[in-house]
């Protein structure tokens, strides 16, 4: 049995191998590029093969020494993940679960399938990849890094499916840590606020005014600032990483005084309230 003080995990090292789901875009790609620059070999995972190939080429052009591979698979499909991950080497040092999707809208206007799809990818996707890699992670005393969200720690207008999936991921991660840490596997949780990425570009096309107003409470980070802060938290072995000093303070305050935070948020939302119009 191996316990580390405060469950801290050792730093990243050259020669380690990382699997990054959602590695073809946004935060996953930005983390993969940083891992490659640190001398880790990286396997990118996402559904779209062409995007994976261009992400791999993008990393190699930035880091000519990079060793990058990719696996096209839908993380929501547990058996497909098991089969596809068969080709991974026997030992694995880092699993980052960054694959994620977003559905924003009024609860009454969302369909039941929106809830299922978001849970399937954002929550069960992580469960599936962890199940498929755990023996490899145990062999190397590796670490799991789950990318949740500030929306996994608090409620956000318009994010009923997304908040549910990210709260599930947060609870799962915090419970799993107790089981895996004694077996030498680190479990880290990242809860970013909004940051620039294709996910947010798509959101901007349809988002409700209430959601836009509510999310303005937390500063939006650029992808480089976000990825640098995330790698620094991963490297520092932190259990909970909330990238960005201001975001960290605001989220901590929200969690300490939820009544006040909710009252302020409700007031901001009221100023732009439109509602589902049903
Ligand atoms: N952007 C934000 O403001 C924000 C804030 C907080 C937390 N987050 C979280 O951070 C993570 C990364 O977000 P991002 O903004 O970087 O997203 P992004 O740019 O939209 O990238 C999402 C990645 O996930 C992959 N993916 C989606 N569904 C998948 C599936 N079923 N199976 C395998 N791969 C799948 C996508 O590739 P394919 O589509 O080709 O599969 C893509 O590589 C997500 O978990 C997100 O919820 C984002």
């Amino acid at each position: 049995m191996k316990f580390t003080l405060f469950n801290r995990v050792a730093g990243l090292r050259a020669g380690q191998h990382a699997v990054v789901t959602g590695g073809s875009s946004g935060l996953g790609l930005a983390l993969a590029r940083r891992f490659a620059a640190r001398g880790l070999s990286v396997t990118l995972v996402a559904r779209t093969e062409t995007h994976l190939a261009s992400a791999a080429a993008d990393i190699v052009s930035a880091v000519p020494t990079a060793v990058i591979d990719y696996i096209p698979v839908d993380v929501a499909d547990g058996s497909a993940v098991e089969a596809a991950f068969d080709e991974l080497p026997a030992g694995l040092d880092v699993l980052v679960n960054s694959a994620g999707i977003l559905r924003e809208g009024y609860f009454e206007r969302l369909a039941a399938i929106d809830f299922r799809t978001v849970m399937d990818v954002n929550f069960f996707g992580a469960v599936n990849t962890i199940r498929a890699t755990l023996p490899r992670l145990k062999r190397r005393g590796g670490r799991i890094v789950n990318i949740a969200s500030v929306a996994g720690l608090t409620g956000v207008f318009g994010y009923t499916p997304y908040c549910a999936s990210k709260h599930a991921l947060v609870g799962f991660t915090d419970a799993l840590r107790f089981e895996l840490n004694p077996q030498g596997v680190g479990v880290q949780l990242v809860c970013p606020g909004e940051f620039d990425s294709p996910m947010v570009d798509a959101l901007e096309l349809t988002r409700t005014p209430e959601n836009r107003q509510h999310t303005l409470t937390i500063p939006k980070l650029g992808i480089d600032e976000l990825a640098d802060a995330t790698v620094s938290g991963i490297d520092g072995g932190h259990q909970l990483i909330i990238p960005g000093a201001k975001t960290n303070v605001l989220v901590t305050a929200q969690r300490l005084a939820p009544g006040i935070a909710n009252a302020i948020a409700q007031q901001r939302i009221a100023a732009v309230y439109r509602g589902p119009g049903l």
Side-chain angles (χ1 to χ4, degrees):
M1 205 185 289
K2 184 173 131 196
F3 284 100
T4 51
L5 188 61
F6 304 122
N7 294 340
R8 273 187 187 263
V9 194
L12 299 166
R13 287 194 315 277
Q16 291 185 326
H17 183 197
V19 168
V20 182
T21 78
S24 64
S25 177
L27 180 57
L29 174 57
L31 293 178
R33 194 179 294 125
R34 281 158 179 78
F35 290 165
R38 295 276 298 266
L40 280 77
S41 58
V42 185
T43 303
L44 310 173
V45 176
R47 289 165 304 181
T48 317
E49 190 157 1
T50 48
H51 295 171
L52 284 164
S54 65
D58 184 67
I59 295 172
V60 173
S61 80
V63 185
T65 51
V67 179
I68 308 290
D69 198 359
Y70 57 82
I71 298 178
V73 71
D74 181 346
V75 294
D77 182 341
S79 359
V81 170
E82 285 285 346
F85 280 20
D86 247 8
E87 67 183 68
L88 288 173
L92 177 63
D93 302 284
V94 185
L95 168 68
V96 177
N97 282 303
S98 187
I101 58 168
L102 181 63
R103 297 279 184 278
E104 193 276 329
Y106 303 105
F107 169 71
E108 292 157 275
R109 288 197 169 273
L110 291 167
I113 190 72
D114 292 318
F115 286 80
R116 293 219 173 270
T117 312
V118 171
M119 287 300 292
D120 277 349
V121 179
N122 295 1
F123 171 62
F124 286 107
V127 174
N128 291 336
T129 61
I130 292 168
R131 288 171 74 91
T133 54
L134 196 47
R136 291 176 175 84
L137 288 162
K138 283 165 82 165
R139 214 162 279 138
R140 290 276 270 266
R143 79 181 74 209
I144 295 162
V145 182
N146 285 340
I147 310 294
S149 169
V150 165
L153 302 172
T154 63
V156 181
F157 193 108
Y159 281 171
T160 48
Y162 187 71
C163 279
S165 70
K166 293 298 188 180
H167 275 71
L169 184 60
V170 168
F172 166 65
T173 306
D174 285 342
L176 189 67
R177 182 180 301 112
F178 285 113
E179 295 196 31
L180 296 191
N181 191 244
Q183 301 186 60
V185 176
V187 180
Q188 298 177 282
L189 177 67
V190 185
C191 289
E194 197 164 301
F195 57 88
D196 287 319
S197 81
M199 177 183 279
V200 172
D201 293 344
L203 169 68
E204 287 296 355
L205 302 175
T206 59
R207 80 195 298 180
T208 61
E210 296 94 332
N211 172 267
R212 181 176 285 109
Q213 181 77 354
H214 193 178
T215 53
L216 285 176
T217 347
I218 302 275
K220 185 172 175 183
L221 296 190
I223 188 71
D224 286 329
E225 187 185 353
L226 188 266
D228 287 344
T230 302
V231 170
S232 151
I234 293 172
D235 223 9
H238 299 175
Q239 283 184 35
L240 172 62
I241 301 159
I242 301 177
K246 205 166 165 192
T247 309
N248 210 320
V249 169
L250 285 168
V251 173
T252 305
Q254 272 180 13
R255 297 174 84 198
L256 287 174
I260 297 171
N262 287 349
I264 294 170
Q266 270 162 355
Q267 219 170 29
R268 293 179 68 105
I269 291 164
V272 298
Y273 187 77
R274 189 178 67 191
L278 298 171

Coordinates of all heavy atoms in Angstrom, one line a residue, residues 78-159:
G78 N -18.0 1.9 -24.5 CA -17.1 1.1 -23.6 C -16.3 0.0 -24.3 O -15.1 -0.2 -24.1
S79 N -17.1 -0.8 -25.1 CA -16.4 -2.0 -25.7 C -15.4 -1.5 -26.8 O -14.4 -2.1 -27.0 CB -17.4 -3.0 -26.3 OG -18.7 -2.7 -26.1
A80 N -15.8 -0.4 -27.5 CA -14.9 0.1 -28.6 C -13.7 0.6 -27.9 O -12.6 0.4 -28.5 CB -15.6 1.2 -29.4
V81 N -13.8 1.3 -26.8 CA -12.6 1.8 -26.1 C -11.7 0.6 -25.7 O -10.5 0.6 -25.9 CB -13.0 2.7 -24.9 CG1 -11.8 3.0 -24.0 CG2 -13.7 3.9 -25.3
E82 N -12.3 -0.4 -25.0 CA -11.5 -1.6 -24.6 C -10.7 -2.1 -25.8 O -9.5 -2.4 -25.7 CB -12.4 -2.7 -24.1 CG -13.0 -2.5 -22.7 CD -12.0 -2.7 -21.6 OE1 -10.9 -3.3 -21.9 OE2 -12.3 -2.2 -20.5
A83 N -11.4 -2.3 -26.9 CA -10.8 -2.9 -28.1 C -9.7 -2.0 -28.7 O -8.6 -2.4 -29.0 CB -11.8 -3.2 -29.2
A84 N -10.0 -0.7 -28.8 CA -9.0 0.2 -29.4 C -7.8 0.4 -28.5 O -6.7 0.6 -29.0 CB -9.7 1.6 -29.6
F85 N -8.0 0.4 -27.2 CA -6.9 0.6 -26.3 C -6.0 -0.6 -26.2 O -4.9 -0.6 -25.5 CB -7.4 1.0 -24.9 CG -7.7 2.5 -24.8 CD1 -8.0 3.2 -26.0 CD2 -7.8 3.2 -23.6 CE1 -8.4 4.6 -25.9 CE2 -8.1 4.5 -23.5 CZ -8.4 5.2 -24.7
D86 N -6.4 -1.8 -26.7 CA -5.5 -3.0 -26.8 C -4.2 -2.7 -27.3 O -3.2 -3.3 -27.0 CB -6.2 -4.0 -27.7 CG -6.7 -5.2 -26.9 OD1 -6.6 -5.1 -25.7 OD2 -7.1 -6.2 -27.5
E87 N -4.1 -1.7 -28.3 CA -2.8 -1.4 -29.0 C -1.9 -0.6 -28.1 O -0.7 -0.4 -28.5 CB -3.1 -0.8 -30.3 CG -3.7 0.6 -30.2 CD -4.0 1.2 -31.6 OE1 -4.9 0.7 -32.3 OE2 -3.3 2.2 -31.9
L88 N -2.4 -0.1 -26.9 CA -1.5 0.7 -26.1 C -0.4 -0.2 -25.5 O -0.6 -1.4 -25.2 CB -2.3 1.4 -25.0 CG -3.2 2.5 -25.3 CD1 -4.0 2.9 -24.1 CD2 -2.4 3.7 -25.9
P89 N 0.8 0.4 -25.2 CA 1.8 -0.4 -24.5 C 1.3 -0.8 -23.1 O 0.3 -0.3 -22.6 CB 3.0 0.6 -24.4 CG 2.6 1.8 -25.1 CD 1.2 1.8 -25.5
A90 N 2.0 -1.8 -22.5 CA 1.6 -2.4 -21.3 C 1.7 -1.5 -20.1 O 1.0 -1.7 -19.1 CB 2.5 -3.6 -21.0
G91 N 2.5 -0.4 -20.2 CA 2.6 0.6 -19.1 C 2.1 1.9 -19.5 O 2.4 2.3 -20.7
L92 N 1.4 2.7 -18.6 CA 1.0 4.0 -19.0 C 1.2 4.9 -17.7 O 0.9 4.5 -16.6 CB -0.5 3.9 -19.3 CG -1.2 5.2 -19.7 CD1 -0.6 5.9 -20.9 CD2 -2.7 5.0 -19.9
D93 N 1.7 6.1 -18.0 CA 2.0 7.0 -16.9 C 0.9 8.1 -16.6 O 0.7 8.5 -15.5 CB 3.3 7.8 -17.2 CG 4.4 6.8 -17.4 OD1 4.9 6.2 -16.4 OD2 4.8 6.5 -18.5
V94 N 0.2 8.5 -17.7 CA -0.7 9.6 -17.6 C -2.0 9.3 -18.5 O -1.8 9.0 -19.6 CB -0.1 11.0 -18.0 CG1 -1.1 12.1 -17.8 CG2 1.2 11.2 -17.4
L95 N -3.1 9.4 -17.9 CA -4.4 9.4 -18.7 C -5.1 10.7 -18.4 O -5.5 11.0 -17.3 CB -5.3 8.2 -18.3 CG -6.7 8.3 -18.8 CD1 -6.7 8.1 -20.4 CD2 -7.6 7.3 -18.2
V96 N -5.3 11.5 -19.5 CA -6.0 12.8 -19.3 C -7.4 12.6 -20.0 O -7.4 12.2 -21.2 CB -5.3 14.0 -20.0 CG1 -6.2 15.2 -19.9 CG2 -4.0 14.2 -19.3
N97 N -8.5 12.8 -19.3 CA -9.8 12.7 -19.9 C -10.3 14.1 -20.2 O -10.8 14.8 -19.3 CB -10.8 12.0 -18.9 CG -10.6 10.5 -19.0 OD1 -10.7 9.9 -20.0 ND2 -10.3 9.9 -17.8
S98 N -10.0 14.6 -21.4 CA -10.5 15.9 -21.8 C -11.6 15.9 -22.8 O -12.2 16.9 -23.1 CB -9.3 16.7 -22.4 OG -9.6 18.1 -22.6
A99 N -11.9 14.7 -23.4 CA -13.0 14.6 -24.3 C -14.3 15.1 -23.7 O -14.6 14.7 -22.6 CB -13.2 13.2 -24.8
G100 N -15.0 16.0 -24.3 CA -16.2 16.5 -23.7 C -17.1 17.2 -24.7 O -16.6 17.6 -25.8
I101 N -18.4 17.3 -24.4 CA -19.3 18.0 -25.3 C -20.2 18.9 -24.4 O -20.3 18.6 -23.2 CB -20.2 17.0 -26.2 CG1 -21.0 16.1 -25.3 CG2 -19.3 16.3 -27.2 CD1 -22.1 15.3 -26.0
L102 N -20.9 19.8 -25.1 CA -21.7 20.8 -24.4 C -23.1 20.9 -25.1 O -23.1 20.8 -26.3 CB -21.0 22.1 -24.4 CG -21.6 23.3 -23.8 CD1 -21.7 23.1 -22.3 CD2 -20.8 24.6 -24.0
R103 N -24.1 20.9 -24.3 CA -25.4 21.3 -24.8 C -25.9 22.4 -23.9 O -26.1 22.1 -22.7 CB -26.4 20.1 -24.7 CG -26.1 18.9 -25.6 CD -26.4 19.1 -27.0 NE -26.2 17.9 -27.8 CZ -25.0 17.5 -28.3 NH1 -23.9 18.3 -28.1 NH2 -24.8 16.4 -28.9
E104 N -26.2 23.5 -24.4 CA -26.7 24.6 -23.6 C -28.1 25.0 -24.0 O -28.4 25.0 -25.2 CB -25.7 25.8 -23.7 CG -25.9 26.9 -22.7 CD -27.0 27.9 -23.0 OE1 -27.3 28.2 -24.2 OE2 -27.7 28.4 -22.0
G105 N -28.9 25.3 -23.1 CA -30.3 25.8 -23.4 C -31.2 25.6 -22.2 O -30.8 25.1 -21.2
Y106 N -32.4 26.2 -22.4 CA -33.4 26.1 -21.3 C -33.8 24.6 -21.1 O -34.1 23.9 -22.1 CB -34.7 26.9 -21.7 CG -34.3 28.4 -22.0 CD1 -34.3 28.8 -23.3 CD2 -34.0 29.2 -20.9 CE1 -34.0 30.2 -23.6 CE2 -33.7 30.6 -21.2 CZ -33.7 31.0 -22.5 OH -33.4 32.3 -22.8
F107 N -33.9 24.2 -19.9 CA -34.2 22.8 -19.6 C -35.5 22.3 -20.3 O -35.5 21.2 -20.9 CB -34.5 22.6 -18.1 CG -35.1 21.3 -17.7 CD1 -34.3 20.2 -17.8 CD2 -36.4 21.2 -17.2 CE1 -34.9 18.9 -17.4 CE2 -36.9 20.0 -16.9 CZ -36.2 18.9 -17.0
E108 N -36.5 23.2 -20.4 CA -37.7 22.8 -21.0 C -37.6 22.7 -22.6 O -38.5 22.2 -23.2 CB -38.8 23.8 -20.7 CG -39.2 23.8 -19.2 CD -39.8 25.1 -18.8 OE1 -39.1 26.0 -18.4 OE2 -41.1 25.2 -18.8
R109 N -36.5 23.2 -23.1 CA -36.4 23.1 -24.6 C -35.3 22.1 -25.0 O -35.1 21.8 -26.2 CB -35.9 24.5 -25.1 CG -37.0 25.5 -25.1 CD -36.8 26.7 -26.0 NE -37.9 27.5 -26.2 CZ -38.9 27.3 -27.1 NH1 -38.7 26.3 -27.9 NH2 -39.9 28.1 -27.2
L110 N -34.7 21.5 -24.0 CA -33.7 20.4 -24.3 C -34.5 19.1 -24.3 O -35.5 18.9 -23.7 CB -32.6 20.3 -23.2 CG -31.6 21.5 -23.2 CD1 -30.8 21.5 -21.9 CD2 -30.7 21.5 -24.4
A111 N -33.9 18.1 -25.1 CA -34.6 16.8 -25.2 C -33.9 15.8 -24.3 O -32.7 16.1 -23.8 CB -34.4 16.3 -26.7
A112 N -34.6 14.7 -24.0 CA -34.0 13.7 -23.1 C -32.7 13.2 -23.7 O -31.7 13.0 -22.9 CB -35.0 12.6 -22.9
I113 N -32.6 13.1 -25.0 CA -31.4 12.6 -25.6 C -30.2 13.5 -25.3 O -29.0 13.1 -25.2 CB -31.6 12.4 -27.1 CG1 -30.4 11.6 -27.8 CG2 -31.8 13.7 -27.9 CD1 -30.3 10.2 -27.4
D114 N -30.4 14.8 -25.1 CA -29.3 15.8 -24.8 C -28.7 15.4 -23.5 O -27.4 15.4 -23.4 CB -29.8 17.2 -24.7 CG -30.3 17.7 -26.1 OD1 -29.6 17.5 -27.1 OD2 -31.3 18.4 -26.1
F115 N -29.5 15.0 -22.5 CA -29.0 14.6 -21.2 C -28.2 13.3 -21.3 O -27.1 13.2 -20.8 CB -30.1 14.4 -20.2 CG -30.7 15.8 -19.8 CD1 -31.6 16.5 -20.6 CD2 -30.2 16.4 -18.6 CE1 -32.0 17.7 -20.2 CE2 -30.7 17.6 -18.2 CZ -31.6 18.3 -19.0
R116 N -28.7 12.3 -22.1 CA -28.1 11.0 -22.2 C -26.7 11.2 -22.9 O -25.7 10.6 -22.5 CB -28.9 10.0 -23.0 CG -30.2 9.7 -22.3 CD -30.5 8.2 -22.4 NE -31.7 7.9 -21.6 CZ -31.5 7.5 -20.3 NH1 -30.3 7.2 -19.8 NH2 -32.6 7.3 -19.6
T117 N -26.7 12.0 -24.0 CA -25.5 12.1 -24.8 C -24.4 12.8 -24.0 O -23.3 12.4 -24.0 CB -25.8 13.0 -26.1 OG1 -27.0 12.4 -26.7 CG2 -24.7 12.9 -27.1
V118 N -24.8 13.8 -23.3 CA -23.8 14.6 -22.5 C -23.2 13.7 -21.4 O -22.0 13.6 -21.2 CB -24.4 15.9 -22.0 CG1 -23.4 16.6 -21.0 CG2 -24.7 16.8 -23.2
M119 N -24.1 12.9 -20.7 CA -23.6 12.0 -19.7 C -22.8 10.9 -20.3 O -21.7 10.5 -19.7 CB -24.8 11.3 -19.0 CG -25.6 12.2 -18.0 SD -24.6 12.9 -16.7 CE -24.3 11.5 -15.7
D120 N -23.2 10.4 -21.5 CA -22.4 9.3 -22.1 C -21.0 9.7 -22.4 O -20.0 8.9 -22.2 CB -23.1 8.9 -23.4 CG -24.2 7.9 -23.2 OD1 -24.3 7.4 -22.0 OD2 -25.0 7.7 -24.1
V121 N -20.8 11.0 -22.9 CA -19.4 11.4 -23.2 C -18.7 11.9 -22.0 O -17.6 11.5 -21.7 CB -19.5 12.5 -24.3 CG1 -18.0 12.9 -24.7 CG2 -20.2 12.0 -25.6
N122 N -19.3 12.9 -21.3 CA -18.5 13.6 -20.3 C -18.3 12.8 -19.0 O -17.3 12.9 -18.3 CB -19.3 14.9 -19.9 CG -19.3 15.9 -21.0 OD1 -18.8 15.6 -22.1 ND2 -19.9 17.0 -20.8
F123 N -19.3 11.9 -18.7 CA -19.1 11.1 -17.5 C -18.7 9.6 -17.8 O -17.6 9.2 -17.5 CB -20.4 11.1 -16.6 CG -20.3 10.1 -15.5 CD1 -19.4 10.2 -14.5 CD2 -21.2 9.0 -15.5 CE1 -19.3 9.2 -13.5 CE2 -21.1 8.1 -14.4 CZ -20.2 8.2 -13.4
F124 N -19.5 8.9 -18.6 CA -19.2 7.5 -18.9 C -18.0 7.4 -19.8 O -17.3 6.4 -19.7 CB -20.4 6.8 -19.5 CG -21.5 6.5 -18.5 CD1 -22.7 7.2 -18.5 CD2 -21.3 5.6 -17.6 CE1 -23.7 7.0 -17.6 CE2 -22.3 5.3 -16.6 CZ -23.5 6.0 -16.6
G125 N -17.7 8.4 -20.6 CA -16.5 8.4 -21.4 C -15.2 8.3 -20.5 O -14.3 7.4 -20.8
A126 N -15.2 9.0 -19.4 CA -14.1 8.9 -18.5 C -14.1 7.6 -17.7 O -13.0 6.9 -17.6 CB -14.1 10.1 -17.4
V127 N -15.2 7.1 -17.3 CA -15.3 5.8 -16.7 C -14.8 4.7 -17.6 O -14.0 3.9 -17.3 CB -16.8 5.5 -16.3 CG1 -16.9 4.0 -15.8 CG2 -17.3 6.4 -15.3
N128 N -15.2 4.8 -18.9 CA -14.7 3.8 -19.9 C -13.2 3.8 -20.1 O -12.6 2.7 -20.1 CB -15.4 4.1 -21.3 CG -16.9 3.8 -21.2 OD1 -17.4 3.0 -20.4 ND2 -17.7 4.4 -22.1
T129 N -12.6 5.0 -20.3 CA -11.2 5.0 -20.5 C -10.4 4.6 -19.3 O -9.3 4.0 -19.4 CB -10.7 6.4 -21.0 OG1 -11.0 7.3 -19.9 CG2 -11.4 6.8 -22.3
I130 N -10.9 4.9 -18.1 CA -10.2 4.5 -16.9 C -10.3 3.0 -16.7 O -9.3 2.4 -16.4 CB -10.8 5.3 -15.7 CG1 -10.4 6.8 -15.7 CG2 -10.2 4.7 -14.4 CD1 -11.2 7.6 -14.8
R131 N -11.4 2.4 -17.0 CA -11.6 1.0 -16.9 C -10.6 0.3 -17.9 O -10.0 -0.7 -17.5 CB -13.0 0.5 -17.2 CG -14.0 0.8 -16.1 CD -15.4 0.6 -16.6 NE -15.7 -0.8 -16.6 CZ -16.2 -1.5 -15.6 NH1 -16.5 -0.9 -14.5 NH2 -16.4 -2.8 -15.7
A132 N -10.4 0.9 -19.0 CA -9.6 0.3 -20.1 C -8.1 0.5 -19.8 O -7.3 -0.2 -20.4 CB -10.0 0.8 -21.4
T133 N -7.7 1.4 -19.0 CA -6.3 1.7 -18.8 C -5.8 1.4 -17.4 O -4.6 1.4 -17.2 CB -6.0 3.2 -19.1 OG1 -6.8 4.0 -18.3 CG2 -6.1 3.5 -20.6
L134 N -6.7 1.1 -16.5 CA -6.2 1.0 -15.1 C -5.1 0.0 -14.8 O -4.1 0.3 -14.1 CB -7.4 0.7 -14.2 CG -7.2 0.9 -12.7 CD1 -6.6 2.3 -12.4 CD2 -8.5 0.9 -12.0
P135 N -5.1 -1.2 -15.4 CA -4.0 -2.1 -15.2 C -2.7 -1.5 -15.6 O -1.7 -1.7 -15.0 CB -4.4 -3.4 -16.0 CG -5.9 -3.3 -16.2 CD -6.2 -1.8 -16.2
R136 N -2.7 -0.8 -16.8 CA -1.5 -0.2 -17.3 C -1.0 0.9 -16.4 O 0.2 1.1 -16.1 CB -1.8 0.4 -18.7 CG -2.0 -0.6 -19.8 CD -2.4 0.1 -21.1 NE -2.5 -0.9 -22.2 CZ -3.6 -1.5 -22.5 NH1 -4.7 -1.4 -21.7 NH2 -3.6 -2.4 -23.5
L137 N -2.0 1.7 -15.8 CA -1.6 2.8 -14.9 C -1.0 2.2 -13.6 O -0.1 2.8 -13.1 CB -2.8 3.7 -14.6 CG -3.3 4.6 -15.8 CD1 -4.7 5.0 -15.6 CD2 -2.4 5.8 -16.0
K138 N -1.6 1.1 -13.1 CA -1.1 0.5 -11.9 C 0.3 0.0 -12.0 O 1.1 0.1 -11.1 CB -2.1 -0.6 -11.4 CG -3.4 0.0 -10.8 CD -4.5 -1.0 -10.7 CE -4.3 -1.9 -9.5 NZ -5.6 -2.6 -9.3
R139 N 0.5 -0.5 -13.2 CA 1.9 -1.1 -13.5 C 3.0 0.0 -13.4 O 4.1 -0.3 -13.0 CB 1.9 -1.7 -14.9 CG 2.7 -2.9 -15.1 CD 2.4 -3.7 -16.3 NE 1.2 -4.5 -16.1 CZ 0.2 -4.7 -17.0 NH1 0.2 -4.1 -18.2 NH2 -0.8 -5.5 -16.7
R140 N 2.6 1.2 -13.7 CA 3.6 2.3 -13.7 C 3.5 3.3 -12.6 O 4.2 4.3 -12.6 CB 3.6 3.0 -15.1 CG 4.0 2.2 -16.2 CD 5.5 2.2 -16.4 NE 5.8 3.3 -17.3 CZ 6.0 3.1 -18.6 NH1 5.9 2.0 -19.2 NH2 6.3 4.2 -19.3
G141 N 2.5 3.1 -11.7 CA 2.3 4.1 -10.7 C 1.9 5.4 -11.3 O 2.4 6.5 -11.0
G142 N 1.0 5.3 -12.3 CA 0.6 6.5 -13.1 C -0.4 7.4 -12.5 O -0.7 7.3 -11.3
R143 N -1.0 8.3 -13.3 CA -2.0 9.2 -12.8 C -3.1 9.4 -13.8 O -2.9 9.3 -15.0 CB -1.3 10.6 -12.5 CG -1.2 11.4 -13.8 CD -0.5 12.7 -13.6 NE 0.9 12.6 -13.3 CZ 1.6 13.4 -12.5 NH1 1.0 14.5 -12.0 NH2 2.9 13.3 -12.4
I144 N -4.3 9.7 -13.2 CA -5.5 10.0 -14.0 C -5.7 11.5 -13.8 O -5.7 12.0 -12.7 CB -6.7 9.2 -13.5 CG1 -6.4 7.7 -13.8 CG2 -8.0 9.7 -14.2 CD1 -7.4 6.8 -13.0
V145 N -6.0 12.2 -14.9 CA -6.3 13.7 -14.8 C -7.7 13.8 -15.5 O -7.8 13.7 -16.7 CB -5.3 14.5 -15.5 CG1 -5.6 16.0 -15.4 CG2 -3.8 14.3 -15.0
N146 N -8.7 14.1 -14.7 CA -10.0 14.3 -15.3 C -10.3 15.8 -15.4 O -10.2 16.5 -14.5 CB -11.1 13.6 -14.4 CG -11.1 12.1 -14.5 OD1 -10.6 11.6 -15.5 ND2 -11.6 11.4 -13.6
I147 N -10.7 16.2 -16.7 CA -11.0 17.6 -16.9 C -12.6 17.7 -16.7 O -13.3 17.3 -17.5 CB -10.7 18.0 -18.3 CG1 -9.2 17.6 -18.7 CG2 -10.9 19.5 -18.5 CD1 -8.1 18.3 -17.9
A148 N -12.9 18.3 -15.6 CA -14.3 18.6 -15.3 C -14.6 20.0 -15.7 O -14.3 20.4 -16.9 CB -14.7 18.3 -13.9
S149 N -15.0 20.9 -14.8 CA -15.3 22.3 -15.1 C -15.7 23.0 -13.8 O -16.1 22.3 -12.8 CB -16.5 22.3 -16.1 OG -17.0 23.6 -16.2
V150 N -15.7 24.3 -13.8 CA -16.3 25.0 -12.7 C -17.8 24.6 -12.6 O -18.4 24.6 -11.5 CB -16.2 26.5 -13.0 CG1 -17.1 27.3 -12.1 CG2 -14.7 27.0 -12.7
A151 N -18.4 24.2 -13.8 CA -19.8 23.8 -13.8 C -20.0 22.4 -13.2 O -21.1 21.9 -13.1 CB -20.3 23.7 -15.3
G152 N -18.9 21.8 -12.7 CA -18.9 20.6 -11.9 C -18.9 20.9 -10.4 O -19.1 20.0 -9.6
L153 N -18.7 22.2 -10.1 CA -18.7 22.5 -8.7 C -19.8 23.4 -8.3 O -20.1 23.6 -7.1 CB -17.3 23.3 -8.4 CG -16.0 22.5 -8.7 CD1 -14.8 23.4 -8.6 CD2 -15.9 21.3 -7.8
T154 N -20.4 24.1 -9.3 CA -21.5 25.0 -9.0 C -22.6 24.8 -10.2 O -22.3 24.2 -11.2 CB -21.1 26.5 -9.1 OG1 -20.6 26.8 -10.4 CG2 -20.0 26.8 -8.1
G155 N -23.8 25.4 -10.0 CA -24.8 25.4 -11.0 C -24.6 26.5 -11.9 O -24.1 27.6 -11.5
V156 N -24.9 26.4 -13.2 CA -24.9 27.5 -14.2 C -26.1 27.5 -15.0 O -26.5 26.4 -15.5 CB -23.6 27.3 -15.1 CG1 -23.5 28.5 -16.1 CG2 -22.3 27.1 -14.3
F157 N -26.7 28.6 -15.2 CA -27.9 28.8 -16.1 C -27.7 28.2 -17.4 O -26.7 28.4 -18.1 CB -28.3 30.2 -16.2 CG -29.7 30.4 -16.8 CD1 -30.7 30.9 -15.9 CD2 -30.0 30.2 -18.1 CE1 -32.0 31.1 -16.4 CE2 -31.3 30.3 -18.6 CZ -32.3 30.8 -17.8
G158 N -28.6 27.3 -17.9 CA -28.6 26.8 -19.3 C -27.7 25.5 -19.4 O -27.7 24.9 -20.4
Y159 N -27.1 25.1 -18.3 CA -26.2 24.0 -18.3 C -26.8 22.8 -17.6 O -26.0 22.0 -16.9 CB -24.8 24.3 -17.7 CG -23.9 25.1 -18.6 CD1 -22.7 25.6 -18.0 CD2 -24.1 25.3 -19.9 CE1 -21.8 26.3 -18.8 CE2 -23.2 26.0 -20.7 CZ -22.1 26.5 -20.2 OH -21.2 27.3 -20.9

